[in-house]
Amino acid sequence: MQVRIIRKFAVATDICVFELVSPDGSVLPPFTAGAHIDVDLGNGMTRQYSLCNSPADRSLYRIGVLREVNSRGGSIAMHALTEGDLLEISRPKNHFPLAEAATHIVLFAGGIGVTPIMSMAEHLVRVGVSFELHYCVRDPSRAAFLSQLTEGPFADRVRLYFDNAGEQHRADFKALLRMPELGKHLYVCGPAGFIDGVSDAARSAGWDGRNVHREYFAASQPPLGTQGIFQIRLAGNGRVVDVGENETVIEALAKAGVEVLTSCEQGVCGTCLTRVLSGEPDHRDLYLTDDERSANDRFLPCCSRSKSPMLVLDL
Ligand code: FES
C-alpha cells in the first residue's frame, strides 16, 4: 500500500521519526501493539520498522529510524526521505504481540528497540493493564521519545538507564527480573547483546521461557559461517543447487535463478522463511523459537545452513 510522509522530525541523535498517512486521508488498516511494517526503499531494499504510536490511532503510522552509518544502506536511504514523499509499505504484521492473559507486563527496550515498546506502553496504559518500562541507552542524547516517556501518561512506569553515566545508572537485569510470576510476561527489544543479557537474567531467575518474548533488531554478528558445502534440492522441479562455503543459500539459489524474498538478510525478520521437506537445517537465525528449530521443518535461508549433505526445500 502507498503512504505519504506527512511529518519527519528528530527525536534523538541519529533517530528520526516519520509519520505516514494515507495519501487520500482515509484511515489506515488496524494494527496491534508490537507490529511492524515492511518499507520498500527501491533498489531491492526492504526494511522493517516497528510502529511506535498507539494502535488506537488509525490516522497515521509512526516509525522511528536510527541512522546507522555501518548499515547496508536502508537507514541512510530512509533518512534521505523528506516530508511529502510517497512510500510503498506492507500492511502491519505482528511477530511480537502482547499476551492477552498477562496480569503484569515488564517491558525492556535497548536503544532503537524502544519503538515497539512505545506502542505497547500506549496500548497498556489505555486498556489499564499493569506494566513497567525499562529503557537503556548509551546517554541521554540517544534516548528517543524522552518527553513522552518522562511527561506522558505512563511516566510513572518508566525507568531510564544510561550506560555511559557509570555503574549506578545502568540497569541491573538480575535485580529487576528476580521475581517471575505466572501471569507476568517480559518483552525485550533491542540489539542482540542487550536481548541476550536480559533473557539470560530472566532464565537464571526462573522465568518460564513462554513468558519471555524477544524481538531482535539486528544480529550481533554476521551469521554466515565457513562451514562445508552442501546441496539444496528444489522439490518443485527436482533441480539440485550447490551451496558454497562462503555463500548463503539465498545467494546460491539466486545464481540458479530462484528468487526468495528477503528483507533483513540477518535471520531476524522471518521474511525468507522456507519450508524444509527433508534434511537437517543448521539454524543460525534469531527468529525461530527453540521448539520451531527442533521441528526442523522450516528455516531461514538468508543465514542458516545445513547439517545434512542435502536439504530438500519446498520451492
Ligand atoms: Fe530476514 Fe531472512 S531475510 S530472516
Side-chain angles (χ1 to χ4, degrees):
M1 52 186 274
Q2 196 173 55
V3 289
R4 185 183 301 282
I5 300 172
I6 190 80
R7 230 175 128 217
K8 173 190 174 188
F9 54 98
V11 288
T13 301
D14 291 334
I15 301 177
C16 266
V17 160
F18 296 79
E19 289 185 346
L20 313 173
V21 297
S22 162
D24 65 6
S26 55
V27 293
L28 292 164
F31 68 97
T32 49
H36 70 272
I37 51 171
D38 293 338
V39 177
D40 180 357
L41 291 164
N43 298 328
M45 276 194 292
T46 304
R47 293 293 179 267
Q48 300 178 314
Y49 297 106
S50 296
L51 298 175
C52 47
N53 53 310
S54 166
D57 182 358
R58 299 273 306 276
S59 67
L60 59 84
Y61 293 151
R62 186 179 297 133
I63 57 174
V65 181
L66 171 67
R67 186 178 185 279
E68 293 177 281
V69 277
N70 294 326
S71 77
R72 292 162 297 136
S75 68
I76 291 172
M78 270 305 295
H79 273 242
L81 296 170
T82 57
E83 290 177 1
D85 284 347
L86 292 169
L87 277 180
E88 291 291 331
I89 66 168
S90 70
R91 294 170 77 92
K93 313 170 197 179
N94 200 341
H95 299 147
F96 194 43
L98 286 167
E100 284 181 9
T103 53
H104 182 78
I105 302 247
V106 182
L107 303 172
F108 266 87
I112 191 63
V114 73
T115 48
I117 299 294
M118 290 301 292
S119 182
M120 289 176 166
E122 292 276 3
H123 172 72
L124 293 170
V125 77
R126 194 174 60 81
V127 298
V129 171
S130 165
F131 75 99
E132 61 193 78
L133 193 168
H134 303 276
Y135 182 23
C136 307
V137 286
R138 234 181 298 158
D139 59 64
S141 76
R142 299 191 169 268
F145 309 112
L146 258 191
S147 58
Q148 209 176 329
L149 288 163
T150 56
E151 296 160 23
F154 48 84
D156 58 334
R157 330 275 177 97
V158 176
R159 284 185 64 187
L160 301 172
Y161 307 89
F162 303 113
D163 286 351
N164 288 353
E167 196 61 44
Q168 74 275 24
H169 294 284
R170 292 192 192 130
D172 180 344
F173 300 152
K174 279 195 179 146
L176 293 168
L177 294 167
R178 70 182 183 283
M179 295 214 302
E181 286 166 27
L182 204 57
K184 219 188 228 185
H185 283 250
L186 167 64
Y187 288 80
V188 52
C189 184
F194 174 79
I195 292 182
D196 293 345
V198 174
S199 306
D200 289 348
R203 196 175 307 115
S204 53
W207 282 68
D208 186 327
R210 288 168 297 186
N211 288 23
V212 178
H213 313 268
R214 298 168 284 197
E215 181 154 86
Y216 287 88
F217 265 31
S220 54
Q221 56 199 16
L224 179 62
T226 51
Q227 226 158 272
I229 61 166
F230 57 96
Q231 291 183 309
I232 295 291
R233 173 173 290 142
L234 308 175
N237 59 12
R239 189 164 167 198
V240 173
V241 177
D242 293 328
V243 183
E245 68 173 14
N246 286 318
E247 65 182 349
T248 64
V249 174
I250 293 281
E251 287 165 346
L253 289 172
K255 274 202 239 161
V258 180
E259 202 184 329
V260 177
L261 195 62
T262 60
S263 177
C264 72
E265 294 171 24
Q266 293 186 299
V268 169
C269 71
T271 302
C272 65
L273 191 65
T274 301
R275 281 215 319 140
V276 176
L277 301 179
S278 78
E280 187 183 356
D282 176 6
H283 297 288
R284 299 185 179 192
D285 65 279
L286 298 166
Y287 177 79
L288 296 173
T289 63
D290 290 346
D291 287 348
E292 288 168 340
R293 287 209 184 107
S294 312
N296 278 337
D297 58 355
R298 294 180 296 168
F299 88 140
L300 282 309
C302 67
C303 62
S304 296
R305 301 183 69 80
S306 180
K307 288 183 180 165
S308 51
M310 178 176 283
L311 285 181
V312 181
L313 301 184
D314 187 17
L315 290 172

